[in-house]
Every structure is written in structure tokens, then in C-alpha cells.
Amino acid sequence: MLSQASPKGVMPMNPPKCDDLDYIHFLIAAQRVFTCTEAARCSPKEKSPPAHDAFTRLLQRQPPDTAALWQEAKAFVKLRKGLLILDDTTLDKPYARDMDLVSYHWSGKHQRVVRGIALMTLLWTEGQALIPCDFRVYDKPQDGKSKNDHFQTMLQKAKERGFQPEYVLMDSWYASLENLKAIVSFGWRFLTRLKGNRLVNPEGKGNVPIREVEIPGEGRVVHLRGFGFVRVFRTLSKDGEAEYWATNHLGMSEEKRAELERQGWGIEVYHRGLKQCCGVERAQVRKAVSILRHLLLALRAFLRLEVYRLRRGVSWYEAKASIVREAIRSYLAHPLHILQPTA
């Protein structure tokens, strides 16, 4: 609030009626509708409860970066242990016609290109905890930044924050030479998938696509064009297609690679929980600033559900269901909709 020494004629500003925690806890408790109007309707009854405009203004005034997420997440990570995993997911927006940040992206869920928002997350895990530490929104038509630009920015920020992960994991989309070299420049190890057409030199006789190279079960050391020596593995996906993996840890075993792959699947579990439990793709706002603030608060909501899961052994879904269950229990004790016989 402005002090009494404010310039003459300037009206004192009223303090905001809601803050980020109000919105975060609304996202945790809400089941299907995640609008500012619904947030206002669900606010505790008091003398002057916040209207939907208060929540709308909240989404417009949050900090423009992801530092608030890290301030909360850093207490739950071990900087010198675990993995850093980077991947993106498409937040479905099939009916959006005048919404910022929405464009066409490949969707693993739909197995086709759809309209949506591309959310990139840097996730820390040690095999159990799934802690989002940073995120970006891919919007090259507006900011000119590629996914690899965002990848390197988040890696640099992780380095500045003191991370020394055991490995960095990513999909083939992020296995560019610039990204691999950036990871190595930090003194880190990586494990990534490679596309079948990536060129390697297995015997010093020239580069060939990796799909044409004989790779035994324990892997094979080859020279990756433009990078250097890596150990590569060949596995089969559930649908029988060949998948290729590469690491700069030349002594990695197939057992270690398989273990890392299992841990890396955690980011897909995180994506599912973020969408199903935190309303990350359901906000009905149009402007980029409000969308970004909603995403930030949704990730902070997920962090709370994840910490609760780790401490109590209760799934995200059960944690949300218990909120509604308590409301139902209260209603059953004092039902409102009863039949009264007419006189």
C-alpha cells in the first residue's frame, strides 16, 4: 500500500485480495474447472472475498521468470546426485483461435501434429522424486528461439545453480552437436537417443548411418561425426522398432543404460500428473503473460503434490480425491437437497 507520503492527488492502492498460494491451492483442489471465475467461487467465505478479477490480475502480475519455482524446488534436490532430464510435452489447445503461444506441434499422445503449447521442463530425479526445476515455452514464431536454444539456456542455469548430475538424459530431438558439446563443457555425462540416420565412424573407414552399424548387446564405441567417441547401444521399442542410444561414458554397461532409461521415463509420468492433477492445459486465458504465470503456478502446485507423495506415500490422484471426499462426507452429514412433502 502507498504510504501517506504519496504524491498529492494519488489514491492509495488497495492490497491484492489473493496471492500465488491462493491460486496454487485452488489448482490442487480443483477437479475439472480451472478458471479465475471458479477460483473466486471457491474462495472461503469472508467479509470481502476476491472476485474473479482479482485472480485475473494475479496472473498478470506474477514474476516473468521461473525463479519462483526454483526457490521452492531447491530444498528437495541433491545437486551432486541424480539425473537431469529434459523433454517437452504439448498442452492441447484444439479450440484456441486467438490465444498467444499456441501453434502446431507434434503430440506423442495423438501421434500427429496438433494445436497446442509446447512446454519444456528440466526435471531432477534420483529414481523416486520427480522435481521440476526449470521450464520454458517454445514459441519460435514470436521469440525466435529454437528448442535447442532453450535447452542450452536451462543447462547453463542449472550449472549456475550448482548442479553436478550423474547424467543428463534427453530424447533424440535434443541430441544436436551443440547440446552434446555444451554438456561435456560442464564436465557432465549424458545419455541420449539418436536417430537412425546419425553418422558414425565405427572402424575409421568412413561415416555411415548408425542403423547400418552392427552393435552387440553390450554396446560399441564409435566416433560420432562432429563430436567424438561415444558408446552406442541398440534396443527394440515395444512396437519392435530399433532405437539407438549414445553416451560419452565409454565404459557404460547395458545394465546401467537400461536403468537410466527406466529412470528417464519419470518425465513422462510427470507430464501425465501435471496435466491430470494441476490443470496445466485447462486455463481459459488468452494473453501470453497470463498463460506463462498459470504454467508457473501449475508447476508449483505439482511440486506440492509430489512432496506430499514422497512424505506420505499417497499418490497425486488420491491426494486430490481426498479433498473432494471430505466435502462429500460433510454434505452427507448435512444434505441440502431433500424432498419435503407439500402441505
Side-chain angles (χ1 to χ4, degrees), residues 76-175:
F76 306 102
V77 304
K78 299 176 182 177
L79 295 176
R80 297 183 176 275
K81 292 185 178 181
L83 312 176
L84 285 177
I85 313 171
L86 188 137
D87 200 3
D88 59 83
T89 188
T90 298
L91 308 179
D92 286 353
K93 294 293 181 182
Y95 307 113
R97 293 295 176 264
D98 188 23
M99 182 180 292
D100 293 345
L101 306 180
V102 174
S103 56
Y104 287 94
H105 306 283
W106 173 260
S107 169
K109 173 184 175 181
H110 300 288
Q111 289 298 301
R112 58 184 174 86
V113 174
V114 300
R115 286 179 60 81
I117 297 172
L119 173 66
M120 303 173 59
T121 302
L122 187 67
L123 188 82
W124 178 88
T125 183
E126 88 294 25
Q128 294 295 325
L130 302 173
I131 307 298
C133 299
D134 204 351
F135 77 94
R136 296 292 187 276
V137 171
Y138 170 63
D139 187 29
K140 191 173 183 179
Q142 295 299 320
D143 60 24
K145 295 182 179 180
S146 68
K147 288 185 177 182
N148 289 328
D149 292 332
H150 288 305
F151 180 94
Q152 293 175 36
T153 299
M154 285 192 282
L155 283 183
Q156 180 63 47
K157 181 62 69 174
K159 178 67 174 179
E160 294 171 1
R161 289 169 171 170
F163 274 104
Q164 287 291 335
E166 297 172 36
Y167 293 91
V168 177
L169 273 60
M170 62 277 194
D171 205 353
S172 59
W173 183 272
Y174 299 100

Side-chain angles (χ1 to χ4, degrees), residues 106-270:
W106 173 260
S107 169
K109 173 184 175 181
H110 300 288
Q111 289 298 301
R112 58 184 174 86
V113 174
V114 300
R115 286 179 60 81
I117 297 172
L119 173 66
M120 303 173 59
T121 302
L122 187 67
L123 188 82
W124 178 88
T125 183
E126 88 294 25
Q128 294 295 325
L130 302 173
I131 307 298
C133 299
D134 204 351
F135 77 94
R136 296 292 187 276
V137 171
Y138 170 63
D139 187 29
K140 191 173 183 179
Q142 295 299 320
D143 60 24
K145 295 182 179 180
S146 68
K147 288 185 177 182
N148 289 328
D149 292 332
H150 288 305
F151 180 94
Q152 293 175 36
T153 299
M154 285 192 282
L155 283 183
Q156 180 63 47
K157 181 62 69 174
K159 178 67 174 179
E160 294 171 1
R161 289 169 171 170
F163 274 104
Q164 287 291 335
E166 297 172 36
Y167 293 91
V168 177
L169 273 60
M170 62 277 194
D171 205 353
S172 59
W173 183 272
Y174 299 100
S176 69
L177 292 177
E178 292 78 10
N179 291 346
L180 300 184
K181 291 178 180 179
I183 294 171
V184 172
S185 72
F186 296 151
W188 299 348
R189 291 172 170 175
F190 63 79
L191 176 67
T192 181
R193 284 197 290 186
L194 294 179
K195 294 183 179 180
N197 62 354
R198 287 295 290 267
L199 297 180
V200 297
N201 191 337
E203 298 175 347
K205 298 180 180 179
N207 292 309
V208 296
I210 191 173
R211 61 172 171 261
E212 298 179 8
V213 177
E214 182 178 349
I215 303 175
E218 68 273 16
R220 179 178 182 177
V221 175
V222 299
H223 187 275
L224 178 64
R225 190 180 74 166
F227 175 77
F229 288 99
V230 295
R231 190 172 195 88
V232 296
F233 301 85
R234 181 181 183 273
T235 63
L236 292 177
S237 65
K238 291 182 179 179
D239 56 11
E241 294 186 1
E243 294 182 337
Y244 301 95
W245 300 80
T247 176
N248 60 331
H249 180 194
L250 302 185
M252 180 182 288
S253 66
E254 165 56 21
E255 290 75 17
K256 181 63 175 179
R257 185 214 61 79
E259 175 190 345
L260 292 175
E261 181 185 1
R262 286 192 295 271
Q263 293 184 28
W265 186 252
I267 197 164
E268 301 298 340
V269 178
Y270 151 78

Side-chain angles (χ1 to χ4, degrees), residues 266-308:
I267 197 164
E268 301 298 340
V269 178
Y270 151 78
H271 286 154
R272 184 169 63 248
L274 184 65
K275 292 178 180 180
Q276 295 180 355
C277 299
C278 303
V280 70
E281 60 185 355
R282 297 187 184 180
Q284 297 181 25
V285 290
R286 295 179 178 272
K287 298 301 181 182
V289 61
S290 297
I291 295 171
L292 290 170
R293 294 350 177 219
H294 171 78
L295 298 181
L296 170 62
L297 296 177
L299 266 71
R300 292 172 64 189
F302 175 87
L303 179 62
R304 284 160 171 78
L305 286 173
E306 174 64 358
V307 171
Y308 188 81

